[in-house]
């Protein structure tokens, strides 16, 4: 096995695009206490900056309230639920990534809906009334939270309009009109607010150039470009679940790079690019999200994605995620915090490991990322390879040897703390299966699952010679591991004698 020598000179900075935003279920779920408890734990361990979900303007939030008075149609805009949700977000240190959608039924031109909670996906009956709704909503946010705060919240127009399920007829011209009306309404509140789109799904990059042409010709404001990225194939449904094939994880990085490739030479070429949804599967009922495989699969994407885009938001953070109906299983959709149970998954730990990396990148590889903190500590993220076909299972052992610069020339010892998740460690899904997949685990079973969900942790001292420490790793199948190396300053008092713990006198040969 060849040992890789890590340079002491920084190779660049580690982007934090991976935690700029995270996805969530429909907007009003944030009114639930268990949801807020889960988000609080995620913010403590990871710390996302923004959160994006559907349904801000759908009936469940109750913003658009038409009524008649004196024989005339009028509209009242109510922000009771909006305020409660945004207040809760800000209290937890996370800010909205605002998605304008879906259509309130009292303004919709048709009755086509998506999801069991019936988000309306038809154009507005009146674009003027839609503009009034957008303007009123954004103005309320500015009035309540201040322009300095809200100008930092990206505002995205709609969700996946290239899909007929999300926009009636997948009518591109109708979307362009909606975008134009919405963007102008946002800018009428304040020109410094960020607005963008077109929030397309994978396979719809043909929408990007026409979008750029439209906004340029019409002089429509656009501050960022958004797209989604998934690698799952056609859905094979089973009772209360979905199975799908996956493309290699490198396909996600290819998708991340697509907007800038397609917009090269246009007026939008240099705008920020936000991947406002990404994952392996878009299905909340695909159990692949719960596995150790999934963490190892996504590790290289988190390590490299920030080199390609300004943000990429995992879809979604929580199992309280009801696109396919109310969850029927213990494990469902998100990367951790199973409703109120706070049972973490391997992908959750991958994100928590990322949060402990340093800002300086010392080395990158197909299976590792070496970083350094300002105080000299070194943190290494390493992962075992995966096989997406299922026909050639990944090896049970994956070796990695590194020579890492650490400390001053006088440093002689390093403290190594290793945290790992894999098929056996930090894997509540595996433990649940070994329990017989109980539908409603009892108290003791839940306690056992919480214990099983924690990473394994080991520690040891390693010698440092000539400013370097040699690390030899053997990763188990689908393992993701975090190594934290700290130079040791030995403060052992001269009178310390380990043998004395059992009463021996110095020099006693017992």
């Amino acid at each position: 096995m060849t040992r890789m020598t890590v340079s002491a000179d920084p190779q660049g900075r580690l982007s934090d695009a991976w935690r700029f935003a995270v996805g969530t279920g429909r907007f009003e779920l944030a009114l639930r206490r268990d949801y807020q408890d889960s988000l609080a734990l995620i913010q403590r361990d990871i710390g996302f900056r923004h959160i994006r979900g559907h349904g801000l303007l759908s009936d469940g939030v109750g913003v658009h309230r038409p009524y008649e008075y004196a024989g005339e149609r009028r509209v009242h805009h109510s922000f009771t639920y909006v305020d409660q949700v945004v207040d809760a977000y800000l209290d937890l240190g996370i800010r909205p990534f605002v998605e304008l959608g879906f259509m309130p039924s009292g303004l919709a031109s048709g009755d086509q809906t998506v999801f069991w909670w019936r988000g309306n996906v038809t154009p507005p009956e009146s674009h003027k009334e839609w503009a009034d709704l957008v303007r009123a909503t954004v103005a309320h946010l500015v009035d309540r939270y201040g322009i300095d705060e809200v100008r930092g919240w990206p505002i995205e127009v709609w969700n996946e309009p290239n899909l007929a399920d999300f926009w009636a007829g997948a009518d591109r011209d109708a979307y362009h009109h909606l975008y134009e009306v919405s963007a102008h309404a946002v800018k009428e509140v304040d020109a410094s607010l960020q607005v963008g789109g077109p929030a397309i799904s994978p396979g719809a990059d043909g929408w990007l150039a026409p979008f750029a042409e439209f906004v340029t010709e019409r002089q429509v404001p656009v501050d960022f470009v958004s797209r989604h990225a998934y690698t799952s194939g056609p859905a094979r449904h089973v009772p209360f679940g979905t199975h799908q094939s996956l493309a290699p994880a490198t396909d996600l990085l290819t998708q991340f790079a697509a907007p800038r490739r397609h917009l090269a030479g246009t007026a939008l070429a240099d705008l920020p690019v936000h991947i406002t949804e990404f994952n392996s599967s878009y299905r909340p009922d695909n159990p692949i999200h719960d596995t150790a495989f999934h963490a190892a699969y996504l590790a290289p994407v988190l390590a490299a994605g920030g080199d390609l885009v300004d943000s990429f938001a995992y879809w979604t953070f929580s199992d309280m995620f009801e696109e396919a109906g109310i969850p029927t299983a213990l494990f469902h959709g998100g990367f951790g915090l199973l409703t109120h149970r706070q049972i973490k998954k391997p992908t959750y730990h991958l994100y928590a490991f990322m949060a402990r990396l340093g800002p300086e990148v010392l080395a990158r590889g197909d299976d590792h990322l070496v970083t350094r903190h300002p105080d000299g500590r070194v943190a290494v993220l390493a992962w075992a390879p995966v096989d997406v076909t299922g026909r050639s299972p990944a090896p049970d052992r994956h070796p990695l040897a590194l020579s890492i610069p650490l400390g001053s020339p006088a440093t002689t010892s390093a403290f190594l703390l290793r945290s790992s998740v894999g098929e056996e460690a930090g894997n509540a899904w595996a433990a649940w299966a070994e329990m017989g997949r109980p539908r409603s685990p009892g108290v003791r079973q839940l306690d056992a699952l919480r214990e099983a969900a924690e990473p394994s942790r080991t520690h040891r001292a390693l010698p440092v010679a000539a400013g370097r420490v040699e690390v030899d790793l053997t990763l188990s199948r689908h393992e993701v591991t975090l190594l934290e190396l700290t130079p040791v300053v030995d403060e052992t008092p001269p009178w310390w004698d380990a043998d004395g713990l059992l009463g021996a006198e110095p020099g006693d040969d017992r």
Side-chain angles (χ1 to χ4, degrees), residues 189-277:
V189 177
D190 192 282
S192 67
L193 297 172
Q194 304 174 55
V195 65
I200 53 174
S201 70
D205 291 317
W207 276 53
L208 291 171
F211 178 71
E213 181 180 354
F214 174 81
V215 296
T216 302
E217 288 183 354
R218 301 275 297 178
Q219 296 186 320
V220 180
V222 57
D223 298 298
F224 64 87
V225 175
S226 60
R227 185 198 195 273
H228 298 167
Y230 294 98
T231 50
S232 51
R236 180 171 67 84
H237 297 286
V238 297
F240 306 108
T242 299
H243 296 163
Q244 294 166 286
S245 61
L246 296 180
T250 52
D251 187 64
L252 283 170
L253 298 176
T254 300
Q255 292 184 53
F256 287 8
R260 289 201 167 100
R261 186 173 67 251
H262 285 271
L263 293 171
T266 73
L268 310 189
D270 297 325
L271 290 183
V273 173
H274 294 297
I275 305 298
T276 49
E277 294 181 19

Side-chain angles (χ1 to χ4, degrees), residues 390-457:
R391 293 188 292 270
S392 302
D396 289 338
R397 295 289 181 266
H398 178 71
L400 176 63
L402 300 170
S403 173
I404 298 173
L406 186 74
S408 68
T411 301
T412 60
S413 181
F415 174 70
L416 170 64
L417 177 64
R418 179 174 180 177
S419 305
S420 298
V421 296
E423 293 296 337
E424 296 181 1
N427 193 337
W429 167 263
W432 179 63
E434 291 159 0
M435 287 179 179
R437 295 183 172 86
R439 296 182 184 179
S440 297
V443 172
R444 281 181 293 180
Q445 288 175 313
L446 286 172
D447 287 344
L449 289 172
R450 290 189 191 96
E451 292 284 343
E454 288 301 308
S456 68
R457 292 186 172 90

Side-chain angles (χ1 to χ4, degrees), residues 72-422:
E72 187 177 296
R73 175 187 168 88
R74 305 184 186 199
V75 177
H76 170 67
H77 298 119
S78 175
F79 300 105
T80 302
Y81 281 0
V82 172
D83 293 347
Q84 291 182 43
V85 170
V86 176
D87 286 355
Y89 283 161
L90 296 180
D91 285 346
L92 295 172
I94 194 166
R95 293 167 167 81
F97 193 123
V98 179
E99 179 196 301
L100 297 178
F102 293 118
M103 194 62 58
S105 61
L107 180 53
S109 60
D111 57 8
Q112 181 185 340
T113 62
V114 68
F115 307 140
W116 77 273
W117 48 271
R118 300 180 63 80
N120 191 289
V121 295
T122 66
E125 183 70 31
S126 164
H127 281 84
K128 179 184 180 303
E129 192 170 310
W130 169 260
D132 291 342
L133 171 62
V134 171
R135 191 182 303 108
T137 301
V138 175
H140 173 78
L141 295 174
V142 169
D143 289 343
R144 184 173 177 86
Y145 302 105
I147 187 59
D148 290 340
E149 174 68 38
V150 180
R151 66 164 50 105
W153 304 357
I155 301 172
E156 185 180 39
V157 180
W158 213 256
N159 175 76
E160 298 187 351
N162 62 288
L163 296 180
D165 284 347
F166 286 104
W167 182 242
D171 187 328
R172 191 172 68 195
D173 291 338
Y175 173 73
H176 286 171
H177 186 30
L178 183 83
Y179 180 85
E180 180 176 24
V181 170
S182 304
H184 283 304
V186 169
K187 294 293 188 177
E188 285 169 15
V189 177
D190 192 282
S192 67
L193 297 172
Q194 304 174 55
V195 65
I200 53 174
S201 70
D205 291 317
W207 276 53
L208 291 171
F211 178 71
E213 181 180 354
F214 174 81
V215 296
T216 302
E217 288 183 354
R218 301 275 297 178
Q219 296 186 320
V220 180
V222 57
D223 298 298
F224 64 87
V225 175
S226 60
R227 185 198 195 273
H228 298 167
Y230 294 98
T231 50
S232 51
R236 180 171 67 84
H237 297 286
V238 297
F240 306 108
T242 299
H243 296 163
Q244 294 166 286
S245 61
L246 296 180
T250 52
D251 187 64
L252 283 170
L253 298 176
T254 300
Q255 292 184 53
F256 287 8
R260 289 201 167 100
R261 186 173 67 251
H262 285 271
L263 293 171
T266 73
L268 310 189
D270 297 325
L271 290 183
V273 173
H274 294 297
I275 305 298
T276 49
E277 294 181 19
F278 95 97
N279 206 326
S280 57
S281 170
Y282 54 88
R283 293 283 311 190
D285 54 356
N286 188 332
I288 196 69
H289 302 116
D290 306 325
T291 64
F293 166 96
H294 200 248
Y297 176 81
L298 289 184
V301 179
L302 267 66
D307 296 335
L308 302 170
V309 291
D310 294 88
S311 76
F312 50 107
Y314 187 89
W315 189 257
T316 64
F317 88 84
S318 172
D319 287 308
M320 184 43 59
F321 177 36
E322 301 179 348
E323 286 187 355
I326 296 172
T328 57
L330 178 65
F331 292 81
H332 190 87
F335 68 50
L337 305 176
L338 307 167
T339 317
H340 62 284
R341 303 179 182 94
Q342 297 190 344
I343 300 172
K344 305 170 187 177
K345 302 178 188 177
T347 304
Y348 179 99
H349 292 301
L350 166 63
Y351 270 82
F353 291 170
M354 288 290 297
R356 288 157 64 179
L357 295 178
E360 287 185 350
V361 175
L362 299 182
R364 295 179 185 270
D366 293 337
D367 56 1
H368 67 278
L369 174 64
V370 183
T371 68
R372 184 165 56 200
H373 289 274
D375 63 3
R377 290 176 296 125
V378 171
V380 181
L381 183 72
W383 56 90
V386 302
D387 171 60
V388 297
T389 69
R391 293 188 292 270
S392 302
D396 289 338
R397 295 289 181 266
H398 178 71
L400 176 63
L402 300 170
S403 173
I404 298 173
L406 186 74
S408 68
T411 301
T412 60
S413 181
F415 174 70
L416 170 64
L417 177 64
R418 179 174 180 177
S419 305
S420 298
V421 296

